[in-house]
């Protein structure tokens, strides 16, 4: 793979973020400091980052320890765009707990093995998708590309070493394109890549959430490849420095308990949580709710075997992008602290949650337009009308179109409409989806390739635009 700029090295990571390892420490004597690295715009880490910070759950947990006769604590939050600089700071023993995507987690585990003080362990998951839909490839709106194979020979922006880059490598390989020779990858931060795409400096952008959804929502790009096509789980998780956790086990336990607090809040109040995350990250609430809303990311802290096995399968990618030390995944993963947090907080049965593969949140309630329950997660969507206290449920895509039609007839402003992809189940924007009409049913797809696959199996299905579907849909 042709790559511009050196990937994932310590010096490069620091240069990309403008960070320095030389930091002043004004912590009062006798006070225990914990430095948390997070990514405010990587909204599948919000239960260990943006939402957790905004709600103050960690500080509240630590204050309880202090009130019970424990030490004083000081929490420092450091916000980054990707996982690479968090890893660089953990190698330098400057960050104690961090969150990032699966491929960066691999790099983190490998890089931090340089000494026992920096060595990390994977202690929890923030959110995951069982098929890989957290990573996507987008192209300019006027691009002629209809599938990943059409990117052969083009320049593609990606953050090398990120989950978005890992998905790109796998997708190209499956399409018969040699990732080492068939494309030119520009190693860029997400926001730089988004600008490069808009200015046509690159033919595509491959990134992790929330960047694909953001640029599509802003009408700056269209979706070309849904990571769910790989059918490989992708997730974000939390790593902690083993040495720090050994010295201050109560801090790690407080952090994991606080993460459980944030996870429960998001599961119970996803719309409110999306507003908090939007305010804290600067992202549009419509984009945050796409991923953090019901039927989006599975926010489940447990270290599921399927996720760990997927991580083991990603080791080949690690080897393909640089000289990384071998990583013993089984030793890297430690669910002991999370099991203890579950027990101490009374937040349910860890083994029960571990065994469940169902999304903890899904669209529920009565569809006010079709007059039936929204109970099938493979079909149910939501309509968010401006001024409404909550988005309203839609039992299926056709009912969602009817709801949009009714809202427009009433002159109401639609903030967003969300619908699951017919083939892959990915939650996506209804007005950005590819639509087919098959008999009386209207079917949405995230990408042209997905719609084409359906049409090959169902020749009678006809393509329609979103506006056309809204106009012609009937009860």
């Amino acid at each position: 793979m042709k790559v511009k700029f050196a990937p994932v090295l310590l010096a490069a990571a620091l240069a990309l973020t403008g960070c320095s390892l030389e930091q002043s420490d004004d912590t009062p004597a006798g006070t225990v400091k914990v430095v948390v690295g997070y990514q405010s715009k990587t909204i599948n880490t919000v239960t260990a980052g943006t939402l957790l910070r905004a709600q103050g759950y960690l500080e509240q947990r630590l204050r309880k320890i202090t009130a019970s006769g424990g030490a004083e604590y000081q929490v420092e939050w450091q916000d980054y765009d990707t996982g690479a600089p968090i890893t660089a700071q953990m190698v330098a023993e400057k960050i104690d707990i961090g969150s990032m995507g699966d491929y960066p987690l691999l790099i983190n585990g490998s890089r931090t093995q340089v000494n026992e003080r920096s060595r990390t362990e994977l202690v929890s998951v923030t959110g995951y998708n069982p098929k890989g839909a957290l990573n996507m490839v987008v192209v300019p709106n006027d691009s002629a590309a209809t599938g990943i194979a059409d990117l052969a020979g083009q320049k593609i922006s990606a953050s090398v070493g990120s989950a978005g880059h890992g998905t790109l490598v796998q997708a190209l390989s499956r399409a018969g394109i040699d990732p080492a020779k068939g494309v030119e990858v520009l190693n860029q931060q997400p926001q730089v890549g988004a600008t490069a795409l808009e200015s046509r400096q690159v033919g595509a952008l491959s990134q992790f959430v929330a960047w694909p959804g953001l640029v599509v929502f802003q009408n700056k790009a269209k979706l070309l490849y849904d990571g769910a096509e790989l059918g490989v789980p992708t997730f974000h998780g939390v790593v902690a420095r083993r040495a720090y956790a050994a010295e201050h086990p109560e801090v790690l336990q407080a952090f994991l308990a606080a993460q459980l607090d944030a996870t429960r809040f998001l599961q119970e109040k996803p719309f409110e949580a999306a507003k908090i995350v939007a305010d804290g990250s600067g992202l549009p609430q419509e984009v945050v709710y796409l991923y953090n809303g019901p039927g989006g990311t599975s926010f489940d802290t447990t270290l599921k075997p399927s996720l760990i096995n997927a991580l083991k399968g990603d080791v080949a990618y690690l080897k393909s992008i640089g000289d990384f030390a071998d990583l013993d995944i089984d030793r890297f993963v430690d669910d002991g602290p999370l099991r203890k947090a579950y027990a101490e907080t009374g937040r349910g049965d860890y083994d029960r949650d571990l065994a469940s593969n169902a999304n903890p949140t899904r669209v529920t309630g009565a569809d006010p337009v079709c007059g039936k329950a929204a109970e099938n997660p493979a079909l149910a969507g939501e309509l968010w009308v401006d001024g409404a206290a909550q988005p309203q449920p839609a039992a299926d895509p056709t009912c969602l179109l009817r709801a949009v039609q009714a809202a427009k007839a009433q002159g109401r402003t639609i903030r967003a409409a969300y619908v699951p992809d017919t083939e892959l189940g990915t939650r996506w924007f209804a007005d950005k989806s590819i639509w087919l009409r098959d008999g009386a049913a209207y079917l949405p797809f995230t990408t042209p390739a997905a719609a084409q696959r359906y049409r090959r199996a169902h020749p009678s299905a006809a393509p329609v635009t979103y506006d056309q579907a809204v106009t012609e849909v009937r009860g």
Side-chain angles (χ1 to χ4, degrees):
M1 179 178 297
K2 300 176 184 177
V3 179
K4 293 284 186 75
F5 309 119
V8 201
L9 299 177
L10 176 60
L14 295 175
L16 283 169
T17 58
C19 294
S20 169
L21 294 182
E22 298 298 325
Q23 297 179 349
S24 60
D25 189 350
D26 56 358
T27 308
T31 297
V32 176
K33 184 176 181 178
V34 55
V35 182
V36 181
Y38 75 111
Q39 303 168 63
S40 64
K41 288 183 170 58
T42 306
I43 54 179
N44 286 318
T45 65
V46 297
T47 55
T50 309
L51 182 62
L52 178 62
R53 180 181 185 179
Q55 294 297 91
Y57 290 135
L58 176 56
E59 290 82 355
Q60 293 167 25
R61 290 280 180 180
L62 292 174
R63 281 197 293 270
K64 289 182 179 179
I65 297 175
T66 302
S68 298
E72 295 279 349
Y73 297 92
Q74 178 180 315
V75 181
E76 179 179 318
W77 296 86
Q78 295 184 5
D79 186 8
Y80 298 91
D81 291 319
T82 64
I86 297 176
T87 290
Q89 296 288 60
M90 295 187 94
V91 168
E93 302 170 38
K94 297 293 185 179
I95 285 180
D96 307 307
I97 300 173
S99 56
M100 60 192 72
D102 42 13
Y103 290 97
L105 285 169
L106 276 177
I107 296 172
N108 181 282
S110 177
R111 287 296 192 205
T112 60
Q113 294 181 90
V114 293
N115 66 64
E116 287 302 315
R117 293 289 305 174
S118 66
R119 184 184 293 271
T120 59
E121 58 188 1
L122 176 60
V123 294
S124 71
V125 168
T126 55
Y128 76 96
N129 184 279
K131 294 182 179 179
L134 305 184
N135 310 307
M136 295 175 165
V137 181
V138 296
V139 294
N141 287 317
D142 60 358
S143 172
T146 58
I148 196 74
D150 295 329
L151 298 182
Q154 296 194 36
K155 293 181 179 180
I156 304 174
S157 176
S159 302
V160 175
S162 72
H165 181 239
T167 291
L168 176 65
V169 170
Q170 290 193 63
L172 290 172
S173 297
R174 289 196 184 186
I177 299 174
D178 184 349
K181 301 176 182 179
V183 298
E184 181 179 356
V185 174
L186 272 61
N187 185 14
Q188 299 175 326
Q189 294 287 81
Q191 66 272 32
V192 175
T195 300
L197 183 74
E198 188 176 5
S199 60
R200 301 300 193 276
Q201 297 175 43
V202 296
L205 171 71
S206 183
Q207 279 295 353
F208 48 84
V209 298
W211 291 97
L214 176 62
V215 294
V216 170
F217 175 76
Q218 294 173 331
N219 295 316
K220 295 178 179 179
K222 62 183 179 181
L223 186 60
L224 176 73
Y225 186 82
D226 183 343
E229 289 191 32
L230 292 173
V232 178
T234 187
F235 69 98
H236 293 71
V238 176
V239 282
R241 288 196 301 112
R242 289 178 183 267
Y244 183 87
E247 293 168 4
H248 306 291
E250 79 286 358
V251 175
L252 178 57
Q253 292 306 138
F255 184 92
L256 292 173
Q259 186 190 347
L260 291 174
D261 293 337
T263 302
R264 183 175 68 172
F265 181 83
L266 186 148
Q267 291 173 351
E268 294 179 350
K269 300 179 179 180
F271 193 59
E272 183 177 339
K275 176 64 165 62
I276 294 170
V277 172
D279 290 343
S281 66
L283 292 167
Q285 189 178 348
E286 294 90 341
V287 175
V288 176
Y289 193 65
L290 170 70
Y291 298 107
N292 288 183
T297 299
S298 293
F299 283 93
D300 180 338
T301 60
T302 60
L303 293 153
K304 300 184 185 300
S306 60
L307 302 182
I308 305 309
N309 288 335
L311 199 62
K312 292 177 179 179
D314 294 336
V315 170
Y317 162 79
L318 190 66
K319 297 292 186 180
S320 76
I321 65 169
D323 182 19
F324 291 95
D326 289 333
L327 177 63
D328 185 336
I329 302 295
D330 291 325
R331 187 184 176 200
F332 179 50
V333 177
D334 183 4
D335 68 356
L338 183 58
R339 285 181 177 274
K340 184 177 179 181
Y342 254 76
E344 291 181 346
T345 59
R347 289 290 165 79
D349 184 325
Y350 182 87
D351 287 317
R352 180 199 63 201
D353 289 352
L354 182 69
S356 174
N357 292 313
N359 193 322
T361 63
R362 61 185 181 88
V363 177
T364 59
D367 180 330
V369 175
C370 284
K372 55 185 178 180
E375 55 187 8
N376 186 341
L379 299 174
E382 290 185 295
L383 175 63
W384 177 8
V385 178
D386 194 33
Q390 295 282 336
Q392 71 184 49
D396 57 47
T398 303
C399 289
L400 178 67
L401 293 174
R402 288 182 58 197
V404 172
Q405 184 188 75
K408 287 188 173 184
Q410 296 167 5
R412 306 183 71 182
T413 300
I414 295 172
R415 292 282 296 269
Y418 307 97
V419 67
D421 173 274
T422 301
E423 177 191 45
L424 303 170
T426 302
R427 178 173 160 101
W428 197 237
F429 296 113
D431 63 328
K432 308 300 183 183
S433 296
I434 309 299
W435 287 85
L436 297 178
R437 181 180 63 242
D438 193 357
Y442 290 83
L443 308 174
F445 299 86
T446 54
T447 65
Q452 289 169 8
R453 286 192 292 271
Y454 184 90
R455 290 192 72 192
R456 283 196 292 268
H458 305 82
S460 62
V464 292
T465 67
Y466 171 72
D467 289 336
Q468 181 182 352
V470 170
T471 299
E472 68 182 31
V473 69
R474 296 288 183 269

